Each structure stands twice: as structure tokens, then as C-alpha cells.
Amino acid sequence: LQLLTHRGHTPTPHLSTFIGVESNDYLLLRLPKSQGTYLTFYEGEKITVRVFSGTMISSFDTSVIQTIYHPLNCLCLSFPYSIQVKKIRREMRIKVDIDGKLGLADRTTIPVKLTNISATGCQIVTEQEVGKIDEQLALNFNLPQLTEDDTSNITLLAKVRNITNEGEGGAPSFLVGMEFVAVATNVQLVVRHYVYERLVDRRQNLV
């Protein structure tokens, strides 16, 4: 889940994990880190919690009851009075500009650029032919996370769904639509989180 602090002009997001709940009393979350160091919170500090589940986004406001450090390293928050829920269509895509690498069937690797991405696939552009429709290829890219300094290295299998030759009369250029397949659970969560975060905060990036 995502925990947002309100210490500046705009909310600052941090990653956390749900530990447990005492109904109508309090929540326990894993104490988030920044650059490897546990964050500090003060009693009564306002916090917004955002949870991503499938195609649903739930969010609620809460406040800090207590920060519990070593050995538990968790955050005790007040039980929310209300929860807002928003549904997001799976096929929604966002525009991106991310460099990547594609492993071809002949074991060579070519540079590609991701131009949009969704929770279940992406579009890439490349100057080389990538293979045939329905062929499964290894795609690797670094996915920006909560801050510009944080990235997640993603490697997954992607099936070629469509290929468009955009390089008529000039340098070769191919637009390739790809569907993610056989994605590890932790990788899927990272990709979904990235897409949903930008869908919520940067809707001008919608494709």
C-alpha cells in the first residue's frame, strides 16, 4: 500500500505494508523507509493511506497514534471513519518514455523504448524487427518509482500482439504492442502500483 505524508505543499508518497487491525480502534502498518532509513512521525500527524487491489483504488485519511521502533518497526494509526473507493479499467494506459531491452528468439538483445504501459502490457518502439505475432520475448526495463532516485529493475516475458511499420521511406521504425505473460507476483505489484499511481495523480498521461 501507499502512505502519503502532508508535510509540504504536495503530499509525499511512501511504500508500506499492512500488518493488522483492531476493528474500530487502530491499524498497524510497516514503518516506511526513505533511502534505507526508517521515517519518523509525530503523534497526531495526518496521514493518507491508499490501497491498490486489482482494478480498485481505496483511500482514507487517518492520524498517527504511535510510532513503534525496534524490533517491530511499525506505525499505529487511528481507525478510518470513511473510505473512498474508485474503480479503474484494466485497459487504461499511460504515456511513458522508458528505455528498455528486448531479448529476441536468436538470443540477441536489442534496445527498445516503452512509449506507453498498462498493468497488463505495453507498447514499444524499435528500429529492428522483433519477430512474429504471438512470439514470447524477454523484456527488461527500469521502472521509476516514488522518487526520481528510486527505480525497480523489471524483467518479464511479453507476448507480441501487433506490429506496425512506422518507418516508410526513412529509417526503420516498428511499433510493437506487447502483453505481459507469466509475471511474478512481486513484479506484477510493482507495475500495477506504478500505473495506478500515475493514473490517479497525472491523468494527463492517459493514452
Side-chain angles (χ1 to χ4, degrees), residues 116-143:
N116 67 54
I117 190 170
S118 74
T120 56
C122 68
Q123 182 184 74
I124 63 172
V125 60
T126 178
E127 296 180 354
Q128 302 181 47
E129 295 187 11
V130 299
K132 301 177 181 180
I133 301 296
D134 290 334
E135 193 168 358
Q136 294 188 15
L137 305 172
L139 179 63
N140 172 263
F141 55 94
N142 286 316
L143 198 62

Side-chain angles (χ1 to χ4, degrees), residues 5 17 58 66 74 115 118 145 166 186 192:
T5 56
T17 304
S58 303
Q66 183 180 0
C74 61
T115 56
S118 74
Q145 290 301 307
E166 297 284 308
N186 62 319
R192 284 186 179 278

Side-chain angles (χ1 to χ4, degrees), residues 45-120:
E45 180 175 359
K46 179 184 176 183
I47 298 292
T48 299
V49 176
R50 185 180 291 163
V51 182
F52 304 90
S53 177
T55 60
M56 308 299 291
I57 296 179
S58 303
S59 64
F60 57 86
D61 293 328
T62 180
S63 60
V64 176
I65 297 176
Q66 183 180 0
T67 303
I68 304 170
Y69 292 102
H70 184 77
L72 300 179
N73 297 314
C74 61
L75 195 61
C76 183
L77 303 175
S78 61
F79 196 82
Y81 289 105
S82 63
I83 299 176
Q84 294 76 46
V85 179
K86 179 183 292 186
K87 182 175 178 62
I88 293 180
R89 292 173 10 204
R90 285 189 59 155
E91 63 270 20
M92 280 186 171
R93 296 174 293 167
I94 56 170
K95 293 181 289 186
V96 295
D97 184 13
I98 300 174
D99 292 327
K101 298 177 181 178
L102 191 66
L104 303 184
D106 62 3
R107 301 189 180 225
T108 60
T109 301
I110 62 172
V112 299
K113 185 177 290 291
L114 280 69
T115 56
N116 67 54
I117 190 170
S118 74
T120 56

